[in-house]
Amino acid sequence: MQPQLVFLLLFLGILHGTCGLYFNMREKEQKCFIQTTPDDMDVLVQYAIEVEDPSTGGSWEPASPGLGMHVDVRDSMDKVVLSRVYRSKGLLKFTTHWPGDHRICLQPNSSAWFEGALLRVHLNIETGERSVNYERIRKTNNMDIMQLRVLQLINQAEDISRNQNYQRFVEKQFLRSTDNIYFNIICFSVAQIVILVLLWAFQYHMLFRQPSLYLAYCEILCESGLSRFRTPEAFRTLITIVGANGQGLTTQALAQWISQFKDAETTDEQLQQLVNDKVRVKVEEFVGKFLTKPAPQIPQNVKGSFYASNVQLTKLLSSERRNRSVHLKDDSFLLICECEDCKAESNTVDTQS
């Protein structure tokens, strides 16, 4: 058990000390990587190209200086941060100016010698304090180990502060996106409600577009002195008196209805009588216009008498079929027309005979 644990610790130590990655690609092929960094952060990109040698059974050899690498770096706003051609092995460093995802794209440049060859690219990306070369700083500034350690701690604290600011920035973006989603949901719900209300109003208008009987009644009795007769109670009482076909409107019933809603404070009998007459006229106008069914009009033409006779004959036939007497058998009837034309024709026949 103990040797396995020691082996695991050694393997983890090797993984911890190992940095970077490698990948295979063809010439003119482009591969991109996304690096999320805060603003004002140093990013160090180190790469090296190897070329496959088919003659040695697929071994990899360092690329010649004739093969280069085009490096294109864009920030989260799709603005170009860096774009140039480097050699087959290079080390480049840039500083971010906007937080977010930075896209690092690598593409080998064209070469007739290595055209179509398989390439292996070793890539290592370091950000923040890890991109600082402390050994060179120590030699350049003649710093001891303690000073170098203090500088490293300061850089690490600055990295922590930048990362915290970036997390706040991401949180604000998330809250803004959430608010936008909620706002769109609310707008969509309100739009649905408005559409439903409009559809309901349209259907109501199409189904019940005839004017209200009570509104027509109020329009006829629109004078200021008749306000007590425009109440819903007075309208319901009048409809009860009149009936559905207007047959219940009599002088006595109308007088009782007027007296029921008369003004008790008015002592002038002449003024009260004028108001009663006016109300009577208005009510008769309302009943005649909206509650009384018009009688069927007989067309006034040359054959008007024949039309009236046909109407009378039809009524007679229908009544006789309902109340058939004993002396009427089968469907035989004796019909006598009383119109002027038939009488004249009958007189002419009698004279000729």
Side-chain angles (χ1 to χ4, degrees), residues 153-170:
L153 291 176
I154 292 174
N155 292 334
Q156 290 178 356
E158 291 178 353
D159 285 348
I160 293 173
S161 178
R162 294 191 189 98
N163 289 323
Q164 288 178 347
N165 293 332
Y166 176 71
Q167 294 300 327
R168 296 189 188 97
F169 173 77
V170 172

Side-chain angles (χ1 to χ4, degrees), residues 240-260:
T240 304
I241 295 173
V242 173
N245 297 324
Q247 298 174 357
L249 184 60
T250 60
T251 305
Q252 183 179 0
L254 184 57
Q256 291 178 358
W257 178 77
I258 292 174
S259 62
Q260 183 179 355

Side-chain angles (χ1 to χ4, degrees), residues 55-222:
S55 61
T56 59
S59 61
W60 300 93
E61 297 180 357
S64 64
L67 180 64
M69 179 72 72
H70 180 266
V71 181
D72 184 80
V73 180
R74 295 178 181 268
D75 59 5
S76 57
M77 306 296 293
D78 201 26
K79 293 182 179 180
V80 178
V81 179
L82 178 66
S83 181
R84 58 175 298 184
V85 178
Y86 293 89
R87 295 182 179 180
S88 59
K89 184 177 181 180
L91 177 67
L92 56 103
K93 187 176 182 180
F94 63 91
T95 303
T96 60
H97 300 285
W98 187 259
D101 296 336
H102 287 69
R103 187 178 61 183
I104 302 173
C105 297
L106 304 176
Q107 183 179 11
N109 63 347
S110 178
S111 174
W113 181 263
F114 296 100
E115 185 176 1
L118 182 64
L119 306 178
R120 172 175 289 182
V121 180
H122 296 266
L123 179 65
N124 184 26
I125 301 176
E126 301 286 348
T127 59
E129 180 265 339
R130 293 179 297 177
S131 64
V132 179
N133 190 349
Y134 290 102
E135 185 65 23
R136 188 178 63 181
I137 292 176
R138 186 182 67 83
K139 293 180 180 179
T140 304
N141 299 327
N142 296 322
M143 301 173 65
D144 55 10
I145 298 177
M146 184 61 67
Q147 292 175 343
L148 189 65
R149 181 59 179 168
V150 170
L151 178 62
Q152 186 178 6
L153 291 176
I154 292 174
N155 292 334
Q156 290 178 356
E158 291 178 353
D159 285 348
I160 293 173
S161 178
R162 294 191 189 98
N163 289 323
Q164 288 178 347
N165 293 332
Y166 176 71
Q167 294 300 327
R168 296 189 188 97
F169 173 77
V170 172
E171 183 180 2
K172 289 181 180 179
Q173 281 190 331
F174 176 76
L175 293 176
R176 190 180 299 110
S177 301
T178 306
D179 293 340
N180 292 333
I181 292 173
Y182 287 158
F183 178 76
N184 293 334
I185 292 174
I186 292 174
C187 291
F188 182 72
S189 302
V190 171
Q192 282 185 325
I193 294 173
V194 171
I195 292 173
L196 289 176
V197 170
L198 292 177
L199 289 176
W200 175 83
F202 177 74
Q203 292 178 357
Y204 181 85
H205 175 72
M206 295 301 295
L207 294 175
F208 307 100
R209 57 184 176 182
Q210 294 183 355
S212 174
L213 196 61
Y214 176 68
L215 294 179
Y217 171 78
C218 293
E219 289 180 359
I220 292 178
L221 278 77
C222 60

